[in-house]
Amino acid sequence: MNITRENIDALNAVVKVDIAKEDYSDKVEKILTDYRKSANIPGFRKGHVPMTMVKKQYGKAVLVDEVNKLLQDALKKYLTEEKLDVLGNPLPKAQDDLDWDADSFSFEFELGLAPEFEVDLKGKKAITHYKIVADDKMIDGQVEHIRKQYGKLISQDTVTKDSEIIGVFVNEEKEINNNATLTLDKIKSKTAEKALIGAKVGDVVGMNTKGLFKDDHDLMNFLKVAHDDAHDLDVEVTFIIEEINTRELADLDQELFDKLFGKDEVTSVTELKTKIKEDSEKQFGQQGDQKFLNDVTEHLVENTKFDLPAAFLQKWMQTAGEDQLDADQAKEEYENTEKSMRYQLIEGKLIEKHNLQVTFDDLKAFAKDMIKVQMAQFGQMNPQDKELEDIAARILSNREEVKRLSEQLMSQKLLELYKNEANLKVKEITYDEFVKEFYS
């Protein structure tokens, strides 16, 4: 067997594989001999079928199969030994004149080669890493929410501004019939607010859904309509009042603090606010990190210049998926995924350059930390290490979970790399400002 490569340019090559008779003949002969021992052909005893007949019936199929196996193994070995960084998979060149009756064969494969490039994390323009802080307004709002959540419901005769109103939204045409607990701070429509204030249990209040709530998405919760319907919904609904309550705020005392955080973990309103601030900013940190990671990714893709073997990749995409694509579809698919491919190459270069690795010990520790967080959400604050080990072992026995966690952990390692190496500036911003600037 002989394998040669012709480099067309820096991004494209053709590999030629020459297979001679001595490369496959012994294997083909052995398989046909085994066939002869077990073949059932009318007129011949089992194991006594003439080899000429076996070759006539099975020879071509066995030859094709063995040559293809030999070809794939040789190509894979060649790419590994030559350390060729290829994109996609080798594409066989069409051979309409291939003669399977010949003794030797030649096959050619097109290769798309990964480009050579360098990644510079320290660009001239600094990337902003937003540190989201919990301001006094937000902390006070959280304290108010806690006091309401743990407060006592007191029945009312009529609706006031602070009432919690339990009732049913109805519209027969849209098949709306949904129980809901309504508070007036959600209402945007002054007409609806005026109609509700002073209403009593049993009253039926008519409302128009257009502009009813401050956030149109609330229609999904209160009326149980689909997301696509919520934004343009313009119908009359009735709200049948079944119960009216006000909520007496819970006292900020030790009993409440112990319910929230465990005995004597928090002993004053000042400590409560400090705890809320710490927990909130820890959660906000994940959002700030994700924004930073997205911005660095965008920066690297835009500022790391290299060419791709676009024509080869589009040709490869035509047959790479479950459904075959025509040339126009493959071009569209390439354009949709080009950025992603570029970042994968950049990421791979950074992982190699900075020797970023995910070891099994890293993965187990990461899984145990994740489990502890999940258990804490259900009130299990101090799980035993053996319990964590057992759960982590079950998770890491699942190949898909290992893949998912490995990707998350590598993303964390890249994030730390970017924080340490990239040209960044830290900017403090409140959560409301962050949401308004990036999600409104």
Side-chain angles (χ1 to χ4, degrees):
M1 184 184 301
N2 185 44
I3 303 180
T4 55
R5 181 174 85 248
E6 177 189 358
N7 290 328
I8 307 302
D9 53 39
L11 299 173
N12 296 274
V14 174
V15 169
K16 184 180 180 184
V17 182
D18 294 320
I19 297 178
K21 186 174 182 178
E22 56 266 24
D23 296 320
Y24 62 82
S25 58
D26 288 349
K27 184 72 172 176
V28 170
E29 196 69 27
K30 182 180 183 306
I31 293 173
L32 291 176
T33 300
D34 291 340
Y35 275 19
R36 185 188 180 205
K37 293 175 183 177
S38 58
N40 287 314
I41 297 179
F44 297 95
R45 283 185 298 146
K46 190 173 182 179
H48 290 78
V49 180
M51 181 57 84
T52 53
M53 187 170 288
V54 173
K55 287 184 176 180
K56 183 177 181 181
Q57 187 163 348
Y58 301 109
K60 183 68 68 65
V62 171
L63 171 66
V64 171
D65 189 45
E66 287 307 308
V67 168
N68 277 326
K69 287 179 183 176
L70 187 64
L71 182 61
Q72 295 303 321
D73 290 344
L75 189 59
K76 183 178 179 180
K77 184 179 178 183
Y78 175 80
L79 295 178
T80 302
E81 289 178 347
E82 293 293 312
K83 297 180 180 178
L84 289 177
D85 193 0
V86 298
L87 301 179
N89 291 320
L91 287 178
K93 297 186 76 170
Q95 289 179 280
D96 297 330
D97 58 347
L98 183 62
D99 181 11
W100 285 104
D101 292 322
D103 287 337
S104 59
F105 311 98
S106 290
F107 302 91
E108 291 185 338
F109 293 85
E110 297 177 58
L111 302 181
L113 305 177
E116 292 292 332
F117 61 93
E118 294 297 326
V119 183
D120 181 14
L121 284 173
K122 292 193 178 297
K124 292 181 181 179
K125 185 178 179 182
I127 303 169
T128 302
H129 184 207
Y130 291 95
K131 181 183 179 184
I132 307 171
V133 297
D135 58 1
D136 291 342
K137 179 184 174 183
M138 180 176 193
I139 294 169
D140 290 341
Q142 284 293 321
V143 172
E144 182 81 1
H145 175 74
I146 289 169
R147 295 186 70 191
K148 283 183 178 180
Q149 183 180 357
Y150 287 88
K152 184 191 300 181
L153 281 179
I154 300 173
S155 180
Q156 288 182 296
D157 294 326
T158 59
V159 175
T160 64
K161 270 190 171 292
D162 296 326
S163 295
E164 292 184 15
I165 315 159
I166 299 174
V168 184
F169 281 104
V170 177
N171 177 283
E172 292 184 4
E173 179 190 352
K174 293 290 184 179
E175 297 182 346
I176 295 170
N177 191 310
N178 191 59
N179 290 82
T181 299
L182 186 65
T183 54
L184 295 187
D185 61 330
K186 297 282 187 180
I187 298 289
K188 179 181 179 182
S189 167
K190 295 297 182 184
T191 303
E193 182 181 14
K194 185 177 179 181
L196 283 166
I197 292 178
K200 300 179 183 299
V201 172
D203 286 354
V204 179
V205 180
M207 310 177 193
N208 188 282
T209 58
K210 189 170 182 64
L212 176 58
F213 296 109
K214 292 175 182 177
D215 184 348
D216 283 342
H217 291 99
D218 281 337
L219 291 170
M220 297 165 58
N221 299 321
F222 290 117
L223 275 62
K224 286 293 182 284
V225 296
H227 179 272
D228 291 343
D229 295 333
H231 289 283
D232 299 314
L233 191 65
D234 185 3
V235 297
E236 293 294 326
V237 294
T238 57
F239 184 64
I240 306 165
I241 299 175
E242 296 181 338
E243 191 177 328
I244 306 168
N245 298 300
T246 188
R247 192 172 287 270
E248 184 180 275
L249 298 182
D251 291 330
L252 293 173
D253 55 19
Q254 194 60 47
E255 182 182 355
L256 177 61
F257 301 154
D258 289 348
K259 280 182 183 177
L260 293 171
F261 304 107
K263 186 166 178 58
D264 296 331
E265 289 294 319
V266 169
T267 59
S268 67
V269 174
T270 301
E271 288 182 11
L272 171 66
K273 290 185 175 183
T274 300
K275 181 69 172 171
I276 290 172
K277 181 177 177 67
E278 289 173 353
D279 290 348
S280 297
E281 290 182 354
K282 185 177 180 181
Q283 183 180 353
F284 297 157
Q286 296 174 3
Q287 297 182 55
D289 284 347
Q290 187 59 56
K291 169 66 178 165
F292 177 64
L293 189 59
N294 293 344
D295 289 345
V296 173
T297 299
E298 191 72 24
H299 169 82
L300 290 173
V301 170
E302 293 297 325
N303 292 280
T304 306
K305 303 299 182 184
F306 55 82
D307 292 325
L308 290 172
F312 168 84
L313 288 170
Q314 290 176 42
K315 188 175 179 181
W316 168 69
M317 284 178 174
Q318 289 184 253
T319 57
E322 291 183 7
D323 301 319
Q324 289 208 355
L325 307 178
D326 61 30
D328 290 337
Q329 290 172 322
K331 182 180 179 182
E332 182 180 359
E333 178 71 12
Y334 173 78
E335 290 169 351
N336 290 338
T337 58
E338 183 184 0
K339 268 192 174 183
S340 175
M341 283 190 287
R342 287 182 176 277
Y343 181 66
Q344 286 176 9
L345 288 169
I346 293 168
E347 186 181 86
K349 181 78 74 173
L350 289 170
I351 290 170
E352 180 182 10
K353 180 179 178 181
H354 296 275
N355 195 29
L356 301 181
Q357 297 178 355
V358 174
T359 67
F360 181 76
D361 287 341
D362 289 340
L363 205 55
K364 187 167 75 169
F366 184 66
K368 288 168 71 174
D369 287 342
M370 178 192 72
I371 295 162
K372 281 196 283 190
V373 170
Q374 291 175 347
M375 292 177 78
Q377 293 172 351
F378 293 95
Q380 294 176 266
M381 306 304 294
N382 296 298
Q384 297 294 314
D385 193 60
K386 184 181 184 308
E387 186 179 10
L388 294 173
E389 288 277 350
D390 291 344
I391 298 173
R394 287 200 297 272
I395 291 173
L396 297 178
S397 67
N398 184 309
R399 185 177 298 178
E400 287 300 314
E401 280 297 299
V402 169
K403 181 175 182 291
R404 184 178 68 84
L405 293 176
S406 296
E407 289 172 352
Q408 289 182 5
L409 187 51
M410 181 54 74
S411 183
Q412 279 193 8
K413 288 177 179 285
L414 285 164
L415 177 64
E416 289 305 312
L417 173 69
Y418 298 154
K419 285 181 179 180
N420 293 328
E421 298 292 333
N423 181 11
L424 65 86
K425 62 179 179 181
V426 177
K427 178 180 178 181
E428 286 196 356
I429 188 171
T430 68
Y431 182 72
D432 286 343
E433 291 169 341
F434 183 78
V435 171
K436 185 177 179 180
E437 185 166 349
F438 299 111
Y439 296 105
S440 296

